[in-house]
Amino acid sequence: MTAVEQQGKLTLAAIAQEAGVSAPTVSKVINGRDDVAAETRSKVMAVLARTGYKSPVQQRRNLAGRQAVEVVFDSLDSAYSIEVLNGILDAAGAADIEVLLNVTSKQGPSRLTPEQRARRIVDEGRCGMIVVTSAFSEPQLDAFNRRGVPTVVIDPLNPPAGNVVSIGATNWAGGKDATSHLLDLGHRRIAYLGGPDGAECNQARLHGYLAALRARNVPVDDRYIVQGSFRSEAGVRGMRQLLQLDERPTAVFAANDTVALGALAEARRQNVRVPEDLSLVGFDGTYQAEESVPALTSVAQPLQEMGRAALRFILRQMRGETLDSRRVELATNLVIRESTAPPRALGPAA
């Protein structure tokens, strides 16, 4: 019989006895203090998860209403974000979990330290955090982990620590599929309009692009690789730069649909027709790609399923389940629409 079963209630003393530590040590772990050895912290966290212990503050807040997950976005101004959010809301509704939104771009710089922010999350009774792209730094994610806040990162720009669950897509395979499609159509001058140079997902898509070219013995032209951001203005600038080349590309693979649509707008301004003069492929497979004119060929990420999976992982961590993997990659697939066609030679830039 465990110490918790013997005492019949979840007290710090019972948790401490179960973990083989002192009650003050358990208190330090619950409050996210740094002066606890990693092995000791892990033992205490395992007991807390297994027994479902909640601090008195958490218990009072849980009595006041449903459990709540906080979802943090850099912004909600893209179809990508809306698709992911719809998946989270779908899974949360099925689990009777409330979703609270935090959009960091709408706020000024936080005056809270990572520890203070983590303490606020615990005190407000959040049962977990879902962080989309780059909203929180590694020190902040580490502070959540020390306080036992179940956290999942979706499509992180940089690899999170090994103890943080992350969900993404098969970016390398998607980049290779997009480029292979253009090669199959007969294109050889294929450009890549990338996102942030240091973003992990961007690098994976770029490497997939390079792998497809090398597999067909197509030389890599550095002039055709333009890095920027995941915003439409990067597509505008990148397309403008590519169209100034003496030997223009006949096809462009963009790092996401938003960049592709910016590139499409600039092509129109310069009287370059898509797909007659230039083929264009995006990445994400959002409703914007489907509704653009021409409809955009795109590598579709299962964005809503990524959101649903994130919520499911929060619930599993809340239940204290052992996770087989902390990195999940969901399969992409190429959706061919109207923006790609066999190449026609472009004349020199005007």
Side-chain angles (χ1 to χ4, degrees), residues 66-71 84-101 127-128 130 304-315 318:
R66 293 189 300 170
Q67 291 179 308
V69 168
E70 184 163 325
V71 182
V84 170
L85 178 58
N86 282 334
I88 294 171
L89 292 172
D90 181 49
D96 197 30
I97 297 288
E98 186 176 357
V99 173
L100 304 175
L101 281 181
C127 63
I130 298 176
Q304 291 197 25
E305 180 54 32
M306 287 161 65
R308 286 190 285 267
L311 199 284
R312 288 196 296 268
F313 269 101
I314 292 291
L315 296 176
M318 287 169 56

mmCIF file of all heavy atoms in Angstrom, residues 66-71 84-101 127-128 130 304-315 318:
data_model
loop_
_atom_site.group_PDB
_atom_site.id
_atom_site.type_symbol
_atom_site.label_atom_id
_atom_site.label_comp_id
_atom_site.label_asym_id
_atom_site.label_seq_id
_atom_site.Cartn_x
_atom_site.Cartn_y
_atom_site.Cartn_z
ATOM 1 N N ARG A 66 -14.520 24.783 -15.417
ATOM 2 C CA ARG A 66 -13.869 23.711 -16.163
ATOM 3 C C ARG A 66 -12.360 23.894 -16.177
ATOM 4 O O ARG A 66 -11.854 24.998 -16.006
ATOM 5 C CB ARG A 66 -14.387 23.693 -17.597
ATOM 6 C CG ARG A 66 -15.839 23.308 -17.729
ATOM 7 C CD ARG A 66 -16.198 23.112 -19.184
ATOM 8 N NE ARG A 66 -15.989 24.325 -19.965
ATOM 9 C CZ ARG A 66 -16.050 24.377 -21.289
ATOM 10 N NH1 ARG A 66 -16.284 23.281 -21.976
ATOM 11 N NH2 ARG A 66 -15.882 25.511 -21.924
ATOM 12 N N GLN A 67 -11.661 22.800 -16.449
ATOM 13 C CA GLN A 67 -10.218 22.897 -16.640
ATOM 14 C C GLN A 67 -9.938 23.681 -17.915
ATOM 15 O O GLN A 67 -10.712 23.624 -18.875
ATOM 16 C CB GLN A 67 -9.602 21.505 -16.723
ATOM 17 C CG GLN A 67 -9.640 20.740 -15.405
ATOM 18 C CD GLN A 67 -9.044 19.361 -15.540
ATOM 19 O OE1 GLN A 67 -9.417 18.608 -16.419
ATOM 20 N NE2 GLN A 67 -8.104 19.032 -14.664
ATOM 21 N N ALA A 68 -8.825 24.390 -17.919
ATOM 22 C CA ALA A 68 -8.525 25.274 -19.041
ATOM 23 C C ALA A 68 -7.104 25.046 -19.542
ATOM 24 O O ALA A 68 -6.167 24.899 -18.752
ATOM 25 C CB ALA A 68 -8.703 26.732 -18.627
ATOM 26 N N VAL A 69 -6.959 25.045 -20.857
ATOM 27 C CA VAL A 69 -5.652 25.012 -21.519
ATOM 28 C C VAL A 69 -5.407 26.382 -22.127
ATOM 29 O O VAL A 69 -6.303 26.958 -22.759
ATOM 30 C CB VAL A 69 -5.611 23.932 -22.616
ATOM 31 C CG1 VAL A 69 -4.372 24.080 -23.490
ATOM 32 C CG2 VAL A 69 -5.640 22.543 -22.005
ATOM 33 N N GLU A 70 -4.215 26.921 -21.920
ATOM 34 C CA GLU A 70 -3.858 28.190 -22.553
ATOM 35 C C GLU A 70 -3.116 27.900 -23.851
ATOM 36 O O GLU A 70 -2.187 27.105 -23.884
ATOM 37 C CB GLU A 70 -2.985 29.041 -21.625
ATOM 38 C CG GLU A 70 -2.675 30.413 -22.209
ATOM 39 C CD GLU A 70 -2.167 31.395 -21.160
ATOM 40 O OE1 GLU A 70 -2.632 31.339 -20.006
ATOM 41 O OE2 GLU A 70 -1.309 32.222 -21.513
ATOM 42 N N VAL A 71 -3.546 28.543 -24.937
ATOM 43 C CA VAL A 71 -2.927 28.371 -26.252
ATOM 44 C C VAL A 71 -2.276 29.685 -26.638
ATOM 45 O O VAL A 71 -2.932 30.731 -26.664
ATOM 46 C CB VAL A 71 -3.963 27.952 -27.310
ATOM 47 C CG1 VAL A 71 -3.281 27.723 -28.655
ATOM 48 C CG2 VAL A 71 -4.700 26.685 -26.867
ATOM 49 N N VAL A 84 -4.806 25.471 -37.195
ATOM 50 C CA VAL A 84 -4.316 24.801 -35.989
ATOM 51 C C VAL A 84 -5.278 25.029 -34.828
ATOM 52 O O VAL A 84 -5.621 24.105 -34.080
ATOM 53 C CB VAL A 84 -2.898 25.300 -35.633
ATOM 54 C CG1 VAL A 84 -2.476 24.798 -34.250
ATOM 55 C CG2 VAL A 84 -1.889 24.835 -36.679
ATOM 56 N N LEU A 85 -5.729 26.280 -34.672
ATOM 57 C CA LEU A 85 -6.651 26.602 -33.580
ATOM 58 C C LEU A 85 -7.952 25.824 -33.703
ATOM 59 O O LEU A 85 -8.497 25.334 -32.695
ATOM 60 C CB LEU A 85 -6.936 28.106 -33.578
ATOM 61 C CG LEU A 85 -7.927 28.603 -32.522
ATOM 62 C CD1 LEU A 85 -7.457 28.256 -31.112
ATOM 63 C CD2 LEU A 85 -8.135 30.102 -32.652
ATOM 64 N N ASN A 86 -8.469 25.669 -34.921
ATOM 65 C CA ASN A 86 -9.703 24.904 -35.102
ATOM 66 C C ASN A 86 -9.537 23.461 -34.633
ATOM 67 O O ASN A 86 -10.443 22.872 -34.040
ATOM 68 C CB ASN A 86 -10.142 24.937 -36.565
ATOM 69 C CG ASN A 86 -10.808 26.241 -36.943
ATOM 70 O OD1 ASN A 86 -11.370 26.930 -36.089
ATOM 71 N ND2 ASN A 86 -10.758 26.596 -38.212
ATOM 72 N N GLY A 87 -8.366 22.874 -34.885
ATOM 73 C CA GLY A 87 -8.110 21.522 -34.422
ATOM 74 C C GLY A 87 -8.063 21.436 -32.906
ATOM 75 O O GLY A 87 -8.613 20.495 -32.303
ATOM 76 N N ILE A 88 -7.423 22.416 -32.268
ATOM 77 C CA ILE A 88 -7.359 22.446 -30.802
ATOM 78 C C ILE A 88 -8.757 22.574 -30.212
ATOM 79 O O ILE A 88 -9.136 21.866 -29.272
ATOM 80 C CB ILE A 88 -6.464 23.606 -30.330
ATOM 81 C CG1 ILE A 88 -5.007 23.373 -30.756
ATOM 82 C CG2 ILE A 88 -6.535 23.773 -28.811
ATOM 83 C CD1 ILE A 88 -4.097 24.568 -30.518
ATOM 84 N N LEU A 89 -9.552 23.494 -30.779
ATOM 85 C CA LEU A 89 -10.909 23.718 -30.271
ATOM 86 C C LEU A 89 -11.767 22.472 -30.438
ATOM 87 O O LEU A 89 -12.591 22.138 -29.562
ATOM 88 C CB LEU A 89 -11.545 24.898 -30.999
ATOM 89 C CG LEU A 89 -10.940 26.274 -30.708
ATOM 90 C CD1 LEU A 89 -11.537 27.325 -31.638
ATOM 91 C CD2 LEU A 89 -11.155 26.675 -29.252
ATOM 92 N N ASP A 90 -11.593 21.769 -31.537
ATOM 93 C CA ASP A 90 -12.362 20.553 -31.786
ATOM 94 C C ASP A 90 -12.082 19.509 -30.707
ATOM 95 O O ASP A 90 -13.004 18.932 -30.110
ATOM 96 C CB ASP A 90 -12.008 20.006 -33.171
ATOM 97 C CG ASP A 90 -12.777 18.748 -33.510
ATOM 98 O OD1 ASP A 90 -14.005 18.735 -33.353
ATOM 99 O OD2 ASP A 90 -12.150 17.755 -33.936
ATOM 100 N N ALA A 91 -10.784 19.266 -30.442
ATOM 101 C CA ALA A 91 -10.414 18.263 -29.434
ATOM 102 C C ALA A 91 -10.784 18.725 -28.029
ATOM 103 O O ALA A 91 -11.200 17.922 -27.189
ATOM 104 C CB ALA A 91 -8.919 17.970 -29.513
ATOM 105 N N ALA A 92 -10.642 20.018 -27.762
ATOM 106 C CA ALA A 92 -10.984 20.541 -26.433
ATOM 107 C C ALA A 92 -12.471 20.429 -26.159
ATOM 108 O O ALA A 92 -12.891 20.105 -25.040
ATOM 109 C CB ALA A 92 -10.527 21.995 -26.314
ATOM 110 N N GLY A 93 -13.276 20.676 -27.186
ATOM 111 C CA GLY A 93 -14.711 20.552 -27.010
ATOM 112 C C GLY A 93 -15.114 19.125 -26.669
ATOM 113 O O GLY A 93 -15.960 18.893 -25.796
ATOM 114 N N ALA A 94 -14.483 18.155 -27.333
ATOM 115 C CA ALA A 94 -14.794 16.754 -27.068
ATOM 116 C C ALA A 94 -14.385 16.342 -25.658
ATOM 117 O O ALA A 94 -14.999 15.457 -25.055
ATOM 118 C CB ALA A 94 -14.098 15.865 -28.097
ATOM 119 N N ALA A 95 -13.340 16.995 -25.119
ATOM 120 C CA ALA A 95 -12.834 16.646 -23.783
ATOM 121 C C ALA A 95 -13.380 17.563 -22.699
ATOM 122 O O ALA A 95 -12.990 17.435 -21.531
ATOM 123 C CB ALA A 95 -11.304 16.701 -23.781
ATOM 124 N N ASP A 96 -14.266 18.500 -23.061
ATOM 125 C CA ASP A 96 -14.830 19.471 -22.122
ATOM 126 C C ASP A 96 -13.738 20.293 -21.443
ATOM 127 O O ASP A 96 -13.752 20.530 -20.240
ATOM 128 C CB ASP A 96 -15.688 18.777 -21.061
ATOM 129 C CG ASP A 96 -16.609 19.768 -20.337
ATOM 130 O OD1 ASP A 96 -17.000 20.768 -20.963
ATOM 131 O OD2 ASP A 96 -16.905 19.540 -19.148
ATOM 132 N N ILE A 97 -12.768 20.736 -22.249
ATOM 133 C CA ILE A 97 -11.671 21.581 -21.779
ATOM 134 C C ILE A 97 -11.875 22.986 -22.336
ATOM 135 O O ILE A 97 -12.153 23.159 -23.524
ATOM 136 C CB ILE A 97 -10.308 21.033 -22.259
ATOM 137 C CG1 ILE A 97 -10.041 19.641 -21.679
ATOM 138 C CG2 ILE A 97 -9.183 21.991 -21.902
ATOM 139 C CD1 ILE A 97 -9.721 19.621 -20.219
ATOM 140 N N GLU A 98 -11.739 23.974 -21.499
ATOM 141 C CA GLU A 98 -11.839 25.365 -21.943
ATOM 142 C C GLU A 98 -10.524 25.796 -22.569
ATOM 143 O O GLU A 98 -9.445 25.408 -22.111
ATOM 144 C CB GLU A 98 -12.162 26.266 -20.752
ATOM 145 C CG GLU A 98 -12.421 27.714 -21.132
ATOM 146 C CD GLU A 98 -12.835 28.553 -19.938
ATOM 147 O OE1 GLU A 98 -12.976 27.984 -18.831
ATOM 148 O OE2 GLU A 98 -13.004 29.774 -20.104
ATOM 149 N N VAL A 99 -10.581 26.588 -23.635
ATOM 150 C CA VAL A 99 -9.390 27.087 -24.324
ATOM 151 C C VAL A 99 -9.288 28.595 -24.112
ATOM 152 O O VAL A 99 -10.231 29.344 -24.393
ATOM 153 C CB VAL A 99 -9.438 26.772 -25.830
ATOM 154 C CG1 VAL A 99 -8.278 27.452 -26.564
ATOM 155 C CG2 VAL A 99 -9.376 25.265 -26.058
ATOM 156 N N LEU A 100 -8.152 29.037 -23.601
ATOM 157 C CA LEU A 100 -7.869 30.459 -23.402
ATOM 158 C C LEU A 100 -6.770 30.872 -24.367
ATOM 159 O O LEU A 100 -5.715 30.229 -24.435
ATOM 160 C CB LEU A 100 -7.430 30.714 -21.967
ATOM 161 C CG LEU A 100 -8.405 30.247 -20.883
ATOM 162 C CD1 LEU A 100 -7.806 30.448 -19.503
ATOM 163 C CD2 LEU A 100 -9.729 30.993 -21.000
ATOM 164 N N LEU A 101 -6.987 31.947 -25.107
ATOM 165 C CA LEU A 101 -6.037 32.383 -26.125
ATOM 166 C C LEU A 101 -5.122 33.482 -25.602
ATOM 167 O O LEU A 101 -5.562 34.376 -24.883
ATOM 168 C CB LEU A 101 -6.772 32.905 -27.356
ATOM 169 C CG LEU A 101 -7.338 31.882 -28.328
ATOM 170 C CD1 LEU A 101 -8.001 32.591 -29.497
ATOM 171 C CD2 LEU A 101 -6.249 30.960 -28.830
ATOM 172 N N CYS A 127 -4.429 23.836 -16.866
ATOM 173 C CA CYS A 127 -4.031 22.429 -16.830
ATOM 174 C C CYS A 127 -2.994 22.109 -17.895
ATOM 175 O O CYS A 127 -2.492 20.980 -17.949
ATOM 176 C CB CYS A 127 -5.252 21.523 -16.980
ATOM 177 S SG CYS A 127 -6.129 21.685 -18.548
ATOM 178 N N GLY A 128 -2.647 23.079 -18.741
ATOM 179 C CA GLY A 128 -1.610 22.844 -19.736
ATOM 180 C C GLY A 128 -1.429 24.045 -20.640
ATOM 181 O O GLY A 128 -2.242 24.980 -20.644
ATOM 182 N N ILE A 130 -0.313 25.053 -24.753
ATOM 183 C CA ILE A 130 0.024 24.713 -26.135
ATOM 184 C C ILE A 130 0.639 25.952 -26.763
ATOM 185 O O ILE A 130 0.016 27.011 -26.802
ATOM 186 C CB ILE A 130 -1.209 24.257 -26.929
ATOM 187 C CG1 ILE A 130 -1.797 22.983 -26.313
ATOM 188 C CG2 ILE A 130 -0.845 24.001 -28.393
ATOM 189 C CD1 ILE A 130 -3.081 22.520 -26.968
ATOM 190 N N GLN A 304 -5.111 20.872 -38.731
ATOM 191 C CA GLN A 304 -6.119 20.646 -37.691
ATOM 192 C C GLN A 304 -5.769 19.414 -36.861
ATOM 193 O O GLN A 304 -5.955 19.415 -35.635
ATOM 194 C CB GLN A 304 -7.505 20.505 -38.316
ATOM 195 C CG GLN A 304 -8.026 21.811 -38.905
ATOM 196 C CD GLN A 304 -9.519 21.792 -39.137
ATOM 197 O OE1 GLN A 304 -10.258 21.059 -38.497
ATOM 198 N NE2 GLN A 304 -9.976 22.619 -40.068
ATOM 199 N N GLU A 305 -5.252 18.380 -37.503
ATOM 200 C CA GLU A 305 -4.866 17.185 -36.752
ATOM 201 C C GLU A 305 -3.694 17.487 -35.816
ATOM 202 O O GLU A 305 -3.607 16.935 -34.720
ATOM 203 C CB GLU A 305 -4.503 16.045 -37.703
ATOM 204 C CG GLU A 305 -4.083 14.758 -37.016
ATOM 205 C CD GLU A 305 -5.102 14.250 -35.991
ATOM 206 O OE1 GLU A 305 -6.316 14.464 -36.166
ATOM 207 O OE2 GLU A 305 -4.654 13.640 -34.992
ATOM 208 N N MET A 306 -2.793 18.387 -36.225
ATOM 209 C CA MET A 306 -1.696 18.800 -35.342
ATOM 210 C C MET A 306 -2.263 19.455 -34.082
ATOM 211 O O MET A 306 -1.788 19.220 -32.971
ATOM 212 C CB MET A 306 -0.751 19.745 -36.097
ATOM 213 C CG MET A 306 0.100 19.030 -37.145
ATOM 214 S SD MET A 306 0.824 20.132 -38.404
ATOM 215 C CE MET A 306 1.935 21.111 -37.419
ATOM 216 N N GLY A 307 -3.292 20.291 -34.256
ATOM 217 C CA GLY A 307 -3.930 20.915 -33.104
ATOM 218 C C GLY A 307 -4.612 19.898 -32.210
ATOM 219 O O GLY A 307 -4.499 19.955 -30.978
ATOM 220 N N ARG A 308 -5.333 18.956 -32.827
ATOM 221 C CA ARG A 308 -5.999 17.916 -32.029
ATOM 222 C C ARG A 308 -4.988 17.059 -31.280
ATOM 223 O O ARG A 308 -5.191 16.715 -30.101
ATOM 224 C CB ARG A 308 -6.879 17.049 -32.941
ATOM 225 C CG ARG A 308 -8.162 17.732 -33.409
ATOM 226 C CD ARG A 308 -9.086 16.756 -34.096
ATOM 227 N NE ARG A 308 -8.607 16.429 -35.438
ATOM 228 C CZ ARG A 308 -8.982 17.073 -36.540
ATOM 229 N NH1 ARG A 308 -9.831 18.076 -36.466
ATOM 230 N NH2 ARG A 308 -8.523 16.707 -37.716
ATOM 231 N N ALA A 309 -3.889 16.716 -31.961
ATOM 232 C CA ALA A 309 -2.861 15.890 -31.319
ATOM 233 C C ALA A 309 -2.242 16.616 -30.128
ATOM 234 O O ALA A 309 -1.965 16.007 -29.088
ATOM 235 C CB ALA A 309 -1.778 15.517 -32.328
ATOM 236 N N ALA A 310 -2.040 17.930 -30.254
ATOM 237 C CA ALA A 310 -1.461 18.703 -29.152
ATOM 238 C C ALA A 310 -2.354 18.632 -27.918
ATOM 239 O O ALA A 310 -1.873 18.431 -26.794
ATOM 240 C CB ALA A 310 -1.257 20.153 -29.577
ATOM 241 N N LEU A 311 -3.658 18.790 -28.115
ATOM 242 C CA LEU A 311 -4.581 18.728 -26.978
ATOM 243 C C LEU A 311 -4.587 17.332 -26.362
ATOM 244 O O LEU A 311 -4.596 17.184 -25.133
ATOM 245 C CB LEU A 311 -5.980 19.141 -27.440
ATOM 246 C CG LEU A 311 -7.021 19.584 -26.401
ATOM 247 C CD1 LEU A 311 -7.597 18.420 -25.641
ATOM 248 C CD2 LEU A 311 -6.449 20.638 -25.458
ATOM 249 N N ARG A 312 -4.526 16.309 -27.209
ATOM 250 C CA ARG A 312 -4.499 14.934 -26.682
ATOM 251 C C ARG A 312 -3.245 14.697 -25.841
ATOM 252 O O ARG A 312 -3.298 14.019 -24.809
ATOM 253 C CB ARG A 312 -4.585 13.924 -27.828
ATOM 254 C CG ARG A 312 -5.963 13.850 -28.495
ATOM 255 C CD ARG A 312 -6.098 12.595 -29.330
ATOM 256 N NE ARG A 312 -5.182 12.565 -30.449
ATOM 257 C CZ ARG A 312 -5.470 13.015 -31.662
ATOM 258 N NH1 ARG A 312 -6.668 13.531 -31.916
ATOM 259 N NH2 ARG A 312 -4.595 12.945 -32.646
ATOM 260 N N PHE A 313 -2.112 15.236 -26.270
ATOM 261 C CA PHE A 313 -0.878 15.070 -25.502
ATOM 262 C C PHE A 313 -0.958 15.801 -24.168
ATOM 263 O O PHE A 313 -0.404 15.347 -23.165
ATOM 264 C CB PHE A 313 0.337 15.542 -26.304
ATOM 265 C CG PHE A 313 0.976 14.456 -27.118
ATOM 266 C CD1 PHE A 313 0.731 14.353 -28.473
ATOM 267 C CD2 PHE A 313 1.808 13.520 -26.528
ATOM 268 C CE1 PHE A 313 1.313 13.344 -29.230
ATOM 269 C CE2 PHE A 313 2.390 12.517 -27.260
ATOM 270 C CZ PHE A 313 2.146 12.414 -28.625
ATOM 271 N N ILE A 314 -1.624 16.954 -24.134
ATOM 272 C CA ILE A 314 -1.840 17.653 -22.857
ATOM 273 C C ILE A 314 -2.622 16.743 -21.912
ATOM 274 O O ILE A 314 -2.267 16.582 -20.726
ATOM 275 C CB ILE A 314 -2.592 18.977 -23.078
ATOM 276 C CG1 ILE A 314 -1.705 19.990 -23.830
ATOM 277 C CG2 ILE A 314 -3.061 19.556 -21.746
ATOM 278 C CD1 ILE A 314 -0.539 20.525 -23.041
ATOM 279 N N LEU A 315 -3.703 16.144 -22.407
ATOM 280 C CA LEU A 315 -4.536 15.274 -21.571
ATOM 281 C C LEU A 315 -3.742 14.070 -21.072
ATOM 282 O O LEU A 315 -3.876 13.661 -19.914
ATOM 283 C CB LEU A 315 -5.760 14.812 -22.363
ATOM 284 C CG LEU A 315 -6.741 15.911 -22.786
ATOM 285 C CD1 LEU A 315 -7.856 15.332 -23.644
ATOM 286 C CD2 LEU A 315 -7.309 16.620 -21.571
ATOM 287 N N MET A 318 -1.536 15.204 -18.296
ATOM 288 C CA MET A 318 -2.338 15.458 -17.096
ATOM 289 C C MET A 318 -2.646 14.160 -16.353
ATOM 290 O O MET A 318 -2.695 14.131 -15.125
ATOM 291 C CB MET A 318 -3.651 16.143 -17.488
ATOM 292 C CG MET A 318 -3.526 17.593 -17.909
ATOM 293 S SD MET A 318 -5.064 18.189 -18.657
ATOM 294 C CE MET A 318 -6.239 17.829 -17.359
#
